[in-house]
Amino acid sequence: MAMASLASSSVLLNLLFIVSALHLGAAAARILSEKEDQQQLQFQYHKGPLLSGNISVNLIWYGSFKPSQRAIISDFITSLSSSPKSTAQPSVATWWKGTEKYYQLIKSAPKPSLTLALGAQILDENYSLGKSLTTDNIVSLASKGAPNDAINVVLTFSDVTVEGFCSSRCGTHGSSVGHGKLAYVWVGNSETQCPGQCAWPFHQPIYGPQSPPLVAPNNDVGLDGMVINVATLLAGTVTNPWGNGYFQGPKEAPLEAASACTGLYGKGAYPGYAGELLLDPTTAASYNANAVNHRKYLLPALFDPTTSACSTLP
């Protein structure tokens, strides 16, 4: 009888041990999962290389862009590396210097550095791939630019539909391996398709507070909206070119240097309000950055990795 009781006690102890182990295992798994979730919510460096060296920004114009429209984007690219002394402040170059903080945080010697310059401009005015493009078509167009030491920027006209355009994105950046490791950006002109989504705050927003739209600094809602998206994606490209650089959230849908601060342009900004901006006394246009050729632009806030906060101009 005593032996039976002892055996029963042993079985009970074993069962308790197994149940406890299962609970501990589940708790450990839960803690690990919560830790991973918390890490995803943090903006962090994922140990991959940033874009560095002397990089050409090549523009591939797809569709019937006017020369004056092309100049709006090309002047913006040129302004990224212009001397701060050559333009009034705050400037596009000053805004772009915010990306240098990402390089300074990398613990390597010597520190990687980056210089951008306007490269080739390739015109495809005859819509060689039609007016309805897939992501593969975008990569194909991007490959018309240099494969190495370059960012190839595909810009599609307002009458071109692109897979995912307006429904889930205003543009994108990515990479492709072919004859070289290609870094590319695509941005669409949303003027007639979804300006409330991709050209805000120069157009009434699709959702949220319906504040009056701002006057576009270059008097072109579509192109001024494209500048915002090109700026956003260039910042994401250099700081997360291959998907293992700086970002927050899942790798498949990362929040990057500028996209982590979407909708913020000036001090005091909040959803539906772009923030305190400069006002051109002649045109009443809103802007926050001066550029070459006396241009003005509205540029998004950049996430400051040293303060973990969004930093705006001015």
Side-chain angles (χ1 to χ4, degrees):
M1 192 75 170
M3 290 294 291
S5 298
L6 191 60
S8 299
S9 298
S10 178
V11 170
L12 283 171
L13 285 171
N14 284 333
L15 284 171
L16 285 170
F17 177 79
I18 292 169
V19 170
S20 298
L22 288 171
H23 279 298
L24 286 171
R30 186 170 63 252
I31 292 169
L32 184 62
S33 176
E34 289 173 355
K35 187 176 181 180
E36 289 175 349
D37 288 343
Q38 288 174 352
Q39 286 180 338
Q40 277 202 343
L41 292 173
Q42 297 173 354
F43 197 99
Q44 58 184 310
Y45 178 46
H46 295 80
K47 310 303 181 184
L50 309 192
L51 216 56
S52 61
N54 297 318
I55 302 294
S56 296
V57 180
N58 302 309
L59 304 179
I60 296 99
W61 299 94
Y62 190 81
S64 307
F65 288 96
K66 300 175 185 175
S68 59
Q69 292 179 312
R70 297 199 296 268
I72 293 171
I73 301 290
S74 60
D75 282 351
F76 168 69
I77 301 300
T78 299
S79 300
L80 293 170
S81 55
S82 63
S83 168
K85 295 180 181 178
S86 65
T87 53
Q89 293 299 316
S91 70
V92 171
T94 300
W95 172 82
W96 184 249
K97 283 182 73 68
T99 61
E100 292 180 3
K101 294 180 180 180
Y102 290 81
Y103 292 77
Q104 293 164 359
L105 288 176
I106 295 177
K107 297 177 181 178
S108 64
K111 302 287 186 186
S113 61
L114 172 72
T115 302
L116 294 185
L118 178 64
Q121 298 200 50
I122 300 166
L123 306 185
D124 189 336
E125 297 175 293
N126 295 320
Y127 304 88
S128 62
L129 300 179
K131 292 188 177 182
S132 180
L133 304 181
T134 64
T135 299
D136 287 343
N137 291 150
I138 295 298
V139 176
S140 177
L141 290 170
S143 67
K144 292 186 176 185
N148 296 307
D149 299 323
I151 303 172
N152 295 333
V153 182
V154 177
L155 303 154
T156 51
F157 196 57
S158 56
D159 58 355
V160 177
T161 61
V162 178
E163 182 181 353
F165 187 35
C166 295
S167 63
S168 61
R169 57 184 181 170
C170 302
T172 191
H173 81 86
S175 60
S176 176
V177 178
H179 297 294
K181 201 168 185 181
L182 174 71
Y184 71 88
V185 167
W186 158 70
V187 171
N189 184 339
S190 67
E191 182 179 15
T192 58
Q193 297 185 53
C194 56
Q197 180 176 339
C198 296
W200 184 85
F202 305 127
H203 190 279
Q204 292 290 121
I206 297 175
Y207 308 109
Q210 297 296 303
S211 54
L214 305 180
V215 176
N218 293 284
N219 197 33
D220 190 315
V221 170
L223 268 293
D224 279 297
M226 290 182 82
V227 168
I228 291 173
N229 294 313
V230 168
T232 297
L233 291 163
L234 280 179
T237 298
V238 302
T239 57
N240 186 32
W242 320 120
N244 54 3
Y246 284 96
F247 64 89
Q248 171 187 347
K251 183 178 180 179
E252 298 74 23
L255 293 177
E256 300 171 324
S259 58
C261 302
T262 298
L264 306 180
Y265 300 95
K267 293 178 181 177
Y270 55 82
Y273 173 58
E276 300 173 16
L277 303 172
L278 299 173
L279 198 67
D280 187 307
T282 303
T283 64
S286 296
Y287 69 101
N288 61 5
N290 293 281
V292 299
N293 295 327
H294 306 290
R295 287 201 185 274
K296 297 174 172 62
Y297 297 103
L298 184 64
L299 302 179
L302 289 177
F303 186 86
D304 186 334
T306 64
T307 63
S308 296
C310 293
S311 179
T312 62
L313 287 175

